[in-house]
Amino acid sequence: MSEPTSKSDTPGTTHFGFRDVPTGDKQKLVGEVFSSVAGKYDLMNDLMSLGVHRVWKRYFVGTAQVKRGDRVLDLAGGTGDIAALLRDRVGEAGSVVLGDINGAMLRVGRDRMVDQGKIVGFEYVQLNAEKLPFPDASFDLVTIAFGLRNVTDKDAALREMQRVLKVGGQARVLEFSEVKADWFKPIYDFHSFNILPKLGKLFANDADSYQYLAESIRKHPPQDELKAMMAAAGFARCDYKNLSGGIVAVHTGYKV
């Protein structure tokens, strides 16, 4: 089931899961997926990771280079899981901008923060990660969790993350990646392509979106390729750490 390449071989097209689609259509197609699953996003993550995504996210934020008073941008911020954790780290003097291209996801995140009483220190911006509406050197930390694989032009998004970082700032990417243990790969594929869509149909009445999400993981650049992409985007000291045997990886780069 593995599809090692992340780019289409056909000019003018890109991957939407395992399908080749016109490059200009991917944003709309991905938007339809996330508008469909916005209300069930936490359930989706639980189904995809068997609940372990909560541990991954805490590690991702807990090991980030961030301090009290910092200004942080969380891209593909979705329902606000990462933003809420970051808010605790930057404190009352800091601020977190939660950005997402999908309005439905952004509304879910905003409503969740309000329901939790987390109002001060948050900004919500509907944006495209490939062209960020912020000046150069605006943030101490930029994060994107489980969102980069859905961006059409990942190289452009990485360059924009580097641009809006302050010198000395850190960028972090948390994303599903390439499983390393050969014995586990068939088990992982079976869960992804046989179990996950059925669970999506059962719990969210949406098998197709979950099928796409499983396919998008296989199309995402594996660890060393993404590390090279971050270096090409201008980041220094690029590195990654595999979690859960490479099911996900945390990528880090710095602006110098």
Side-chain angles (χ1 to χ4, degrees):
M1 281 287 189
S2 295
E3 296 280 340
T5 182
S6 63
K7 297 181 181 178
S8 172
D9 296 326
T10 306
T13 67
T14 190
H15 291 300
F16 177 71
F18 289 165
R19 292 163 46 202
D20 279 357
V21 299
T23 301
D25 289 353
K26 180 170 179 176
Q27 181 177 316
K28 175 177 178 290
L29 292 168
V30 171
E32 290 172 352
V33 168
F34 282 91
S35 293
S36 173
V37 304
K40 300 281 188 178
Y41 187 69
D42 288 335
L43 173 63
M44 176 192 77
N45 283 330
D46 284 331
L47 295 177
M48 293 181 74
S49 71
L50 303 179
V52 185
H53 72 98
R54 301 172 194 276
V55 178
W56 296 333
K57 289 173 179 175
R58 288 191 175 277
Y59 177 87
F60 178 65
V61 173
T63 56
Q65 176 185 286
V66 66
K67 64 184 183 301
R68 298 280 173 174
D70 278 355
R71 180 168 169 80
V72 178
L73 171 63
D74 180 39
L75 295 171
T79 54
D81 288 2
I82 299 297
L85 294 171
L86 287 167
R87 182 70 181 80
D88 291 338
R89 293 209 57 193
V90 301
E92 294 296 325
S95 63
V96 178
V97 177
L98 194 163
D100 202 297
I101 196 170
N102 187 279
M105 293 290 289
L106 201 60
R107 284 190 293 273
V108 171
R110 181 193 60 202
D111 291 347
R112 169 177 289 177
M113 295 301 103
V114 172
D115 289 345
Q116 294 177 3
K118 296 180 177 180
I119 301 172
V120 178
F122 282 103
E123 298 174 50
Y124 303 90
V125 182
Q126 188 166 358
L127 51 73
N128 187 334
E130 298 171 19
K131 193 171 184 179
L132 297 176
F134 306 109
D136 296 357
S138 297
F139 298 96
D140 301 286
L141 171 70
V142 179
T143 62
I144 183 168
F146 303 122
L148 186 61
R149 73 180 190 278
N150 298 305
V151 175
T152 303
D153 189 341
K154 297 174 181 61
D155 294 309
L158 291 171
R159 288 193 300 269
E160 280 292 273
M161 291 170 68
Q162 196 270 354
R163 180 184 66 79
V164 301
L165 266 180
K166 298 176 183 178
V167 172
Q170 185 187 61
R172 285 172 76 78
V173 179
L174 173 63
E175 190 54 87
F176 287 103
S177 201
E178 185 176 71
V179 173
K180 292 304 178 183
D182 288 337
W183 66 267
F184 186 64
K185 290 179 181 178
I187 299 171
Y188 186 53
D189 282 344
F190 183 81
H191 171 74
S192 298
F193 296 105
N194 296 90
I195 303 300
L196 183 59
K198 291 182 175 64
L199 292 174
K201 176 66 174 176
L202 179 63
F203 289 104
N205 196 32
D206 187 354
D208 290 345
S209 292
Y210 288 76
Q211 179 75 26
Y212 158 73
L213 291 164
E215 292 175 0
S216 71
I217 292 169
R218 300 312 191 276
K219 285 294 188 180
H220 185 66
Q223 289 90 326
D224 288 323
E225 184 179 341
L226 181 54
K227 178 181 176 181
M229 290 169 63
M230 291 186 70
F235 290 107
R237 294 159 49 204
C238 298
D239 203 0
Y240 65 84
K241 180 177 178 60
N242 288 324
L243 303 180
S244 301
I247 293 177
V248 302
V250 176
H251 283 259
T252 303
Y254 296 85
K255 184 169 184 176
V256 296

